[in-house]
Amino acid sequence: MNDDLQRKLIIAIDGPAGAGKSTIASRLARKLGYVNLESGAMYRALALKAIDRDLSLDDEAALVKLAQESRIQLEPTLGGNRTLLDGRDVSERIRERDVTEAASRVSVHPGVRAWMVARQREMGAGGGVVMEGRDIGTKVFPDADLKIFLDADPVVREQRRMEQQRIKGEVAASVAADLRERDHRDRTRAASPLQAAGDAVVIDSSQLSEEEVLGRVEELAREKLGASARR
Ligand code: DC
């Protein structure tokens, strides 16, 4: 293959919960031979540590200090991504309801965000990454090679999340309410609220299958690789 086609892109996928980011990001990364980094898992890991230590989720200074003392690692494995907090595998625990809510709350603090963004830049600097989150295209990698904003109708997102959660036996109505509350907080916070970067490709997945979204995103990534090969 032409060497330029091997160029390692930085691909940012942002969007609200339930839009399908995680699935698309991990499948796209696999197709391209890239690493998939889930930035939300880092906020979740910090939130878990704050819960375990009984820290107030409103105490920005304490949360920043906690982050500075923590080792949060995203470890891609063949079976999916693992999240390590100070060497402990917390991949399952951070998906639980209390941590999900707390992650959204710790992420409103500018100091916490600054720490996260710095770590995320280090992790993705070499390229060959599909990083997903809320502010990847706007703050973490404003010069990313490709920016996708994956959105979906709130009702569709709630339904998708309920289907995922029902497997774990949670009550559907409360899942929908949680998602709405978290969405509102993520979109209206003062520091880096969830929004599409001006140069992001916005894909509304409400009426699209997973395969269709993946096909579109892969096509965009391959166009970028082709364009860099021609330069
Ligand atoms: O993507 P997720 O659901 O795992 O994210 C958990 C929370 O972390 C989400 O409610 C908002 C926050 N977050 C963020 O503020 N910025 C990111 N880049 C990723 C997540």
Side-chain angles (χ1 to χ4, degrees):
M1 203 201 294
N2 182 324
D3 266 0
D4 284 342
L5 284 175
Q6 306 273 8
R7 193 168 85 90
K8 299 281 191 185
L9 304 178
I10 294 179
I11 300 177
I13 302 187
D14 289 302
K21 291 188 306 291
S22 301
T23 314
I24 296 300
S26 77
R27 290 191 63 189
L28 177 68
R30 223 173 304 140
K31 277 187 175 265
L32 298 175
Y34 282 13
V35 170
N36 167 219
L37 296 173
E38 256 187 280
S39 63
M42 299 176 67
Y43 290 93
R44 287 172 181 267
L46 179 65
L48 172 60
K49 193 161 173 175
I51 291 172
D52 286 349
R53 300 229 172 153
D54 247 340
L55 277 188
S56 160
L57 301 176
D58 298 321
D59 188 342
E60 177 169 12
L63 290 167
V64 172
K65 186 161 174 285
L66 190 69
Q68 286 164 347
E69 294 165 0
S70 303
R71 200 155 45 92
I72 299 175
Q73 293 162 284
L74 300 181
E75 217 183 60
T77 71
L78 283 177
N81 288 333
R82 288 202 315 162
T83 306
L84 303 181
L85 172 62
D86 300 322
R88 177 167 63 108
D89 186 347
V90 294
S91 316
E92 302 277 326
R93 174 71 181 98
I94 59 169
R95 300 291 150 195
E96 288 176 24
R97 190 176 170 190
D98 59 337
V99 180
T100 300
E101 207 241 327
S104 173
R105 289 183 56 195
V106 304
S107 74
V108 303
H109 301 298
V112 169
R113 302 201 66 81
W115 186 88
M116 292 286 175
V117 168
R119 298 290 83 67
Q120 289 155 6
R121 285 188 182 144
E122 286 166 10
M123 290 180 186
V129 294
V130 180
M131 193 179 286
E132 51 142 315
R134 305 290 189 287
D135 63 341
I136 311 306
T138 51
K139 280 284 179 314
V140 181
F141 289 114
D143 296 325
D145 299 285
L146 174 61
K147 299 179 188 178
I148 306 288
F149 191 86
L150 192 56
D151 209 346
D153 186 276
V155 175
V156 173
R157 292 190 288 109
E158 282 165 25
Q159 273 162 359
R160 286 181 188 160
R161 208 25 73 90
M162 283 191 257
E163 273 156 31
Q164 288 169 349
Q165 301 287 332
R166 211 172 289 148
I167 301 165
K168 293 186 196 162
E170 283 196 33
V171 183
S174 67
V175 169
D178 285 359
L179 188 123
R180 238 169 293 148
E181 189 188 328
R182 188 153 72 98
D183 231 25
H184 178 74
R185 190 184 298 116
D186 295 347
R187 286 180 198 271
T188 56
R189 68 183 176 219
S192 313
L194 169 67
Q195 60 184 45
D199 52 353
V201 178
V202 180
I203 299 178
D204 186 325
S205 73
S206 310
Q207 308 290 333
L208 300 176
S209 69
E210 194 178 305
E211 295 308 319
E212 285 171 321
V213 176
L214 182 65
R216 176 85 186 103
V217 172
E218 189 185 355
E219 186 182 305
L220 290 165
R222 300 220 181 264
E223 273 169 22
K224 289 286 173 189
L225 282 166
S228 79
R230 285 193 296 276
R231 268 207 292 271

